[in-house]
Amino acid sequence: SGGPVYGTGETRHSEHDEATLGLQLALGDPARPHRLRVSSFRHERERISPAVAEIGVPPSNGNSTFDELHVGWSWPLWTAAGSTLVVGVEGEREDGQVDERLFFGGPPLDASFHLDRSTAGAWCDLVAERGPWVVEFGARFDRPEKFDSEWSPRVGIAWKPAGSATRLRGAAGRSFKLPSFYALGDPLVGNPELDPEVALGVDFGVDHHFADAKLFFSSSLFFNRFDDLINFNFAEFVLKNESRVESRGVELGLDWRPRTAFAFGLNLTRQEVENIDAAEEIRQRPEWIAAARWRWRATDALGLSADLQAVTDRFDQQGPVPDRARVAGYAVLGAAAAWRVGKQGLEIRARVDNLLDREYETQIGFPGPGRAVRLGISRRSDGGRAGSPG
């Protein structure tokens, strides 16, 4: 659409409210506890959107509500010397309601929709250690409502000789992602015939611990293939499963802990992303991604942190701006603090995103968020030290 910079100049206005509630319980034998997890999430949004005349999108306004309930249980079914088999079951219920009106010039057109689905899953995870070898096998079976059943197997292996500071590792797995309610139900671009996206991934890595320098280094080569990737088809103006995409690259990481209360981390990723089924470049896939983080436990009650996120320029498309095809790279700094009050586990959290109020674009014509402050209060039942402020 060109966003507020290259479009009409009008901006979309939205207000969001979120609430999360979670409970975790460990029951039975402390050595082999039954773990029960229950969580609920609710998101409410009110939105007013201007027209995008260049591509025929009318003005609209409305509100939406999304509710998610998740229940899970796990238990170490079998344990032996160096080996553990954990099994679990999970259930998830999602419910989304959109009440929206489109304005084409006459009476408002009702574009509301309601979708819901349930997903039941079962999984197992086996970890076995034999001398310098650690092997992990995992499998998950999901039965999502209104979609075919999905298997998600994975295998991992690591080798670290006794007394060595170097570890070799490799892993492979399959996963899937259901289409969002927006992708399925939006009256303008949604497609109820969408299939889940499927990903196959392989990675190999080398880790090394420099004990004297208190430095941990990791490196990985990765390859991923995504089938039925959901993309926006400009010609048909609809979301479709039309891409088979491959990505390959390298990831490097450093973790430095000179003292117990201090930690610094750095991650760097270089990737190549290729659209196998078409000559079109994939949008919003930067070649380089970097992240740095710093954490300091000032006292048992106070934790401080800072983080830096950076990406290089990347391909993008916006109809009203045919002469631009790339978004400039950017770097954004954030900071956070967590303070434990008293001995009852009460914790106050604060975070500032885009601390320097840097101007940047997330897409062509779409400015990134400016400086934002978030506050939160939580209570920990163990009454321990302040948690990670990040």
Side-chain angles (χ1 to χ4, degrees), residues 108-143:
L109 176 65
D110 186 12
S112 303
F113 66 92
H114 172 260
L115 292 173
D116 59 68
R117 65 187 174 207
S118 299
T119 302
W123 57 272
C124 64
D125 193 7
L126 173 64
V127 179
E129 298 185 30
R130 294 292 184 273
W133 297 93
V134 177
V135 181
E136 180 179 0
F137 297 96
R140 182 184 177 95
F141 175 79
D142 286 285
R143 185 66 183 271

Side-chain angles (χ1 to χ4, degrees), residues 42-166:
R42 183 178 181 86
H43 178 267
E44 297 179 353
R45 183 198 66 188
E46 294 185 4
R47 184 181 68 178
I48 300 175
S49 296
V52 186
E54 294 84 351
I55 55 177
V57 176
S60 64
N61 64 49
N63 57 74
S64 65
T65 302
F66 176 75
D67 291 291
E68 182 182 67
L69 176 65
H70 186 94
V71 179
W73 165 87
S74 63
W75 180 54
L77 177 64
W78 173 75
T79 59
S83 300
T84 303
L85 173 63
V86 181
V87 297
V89 294
E90 295 182 358
E92 184 178 74
R93 178 67 177 176
E94 299 170 276
D95 189 285
Q97 174 70 46
V98 174
D99 297 307
E100 190 166 18
R101 291 156 297 283
L102 306 178
F103 300 91
F104 286 96
L109 176 65
D110 186 12
S112 303
F113 66 92
H114 172 260
L115 292 173
D116 59 68
R117 65 187 174 207
S118 299
T119 302
W123 57 272
C124 64
D125 193 7
L126 173 64
V127 179
E129 298 185 30
R130 294 292 184 273
W133 297 93
V134 177
V135 181
E136 180 179 0
F137 297 96
R140 182 184 177 95
F141 175 79
D142 286 285
R143 185 66 183 271
E145 185 180 3
K146 305 170 185 176
F147 294 94
D148 292 336
S149 300
E150 296 280 356
W151 281 97
S152 302
R154 68 183 186 280
V155 59
I157 187 169
W159 179 69
K160 181 183 177 183
S164 174
T166 302

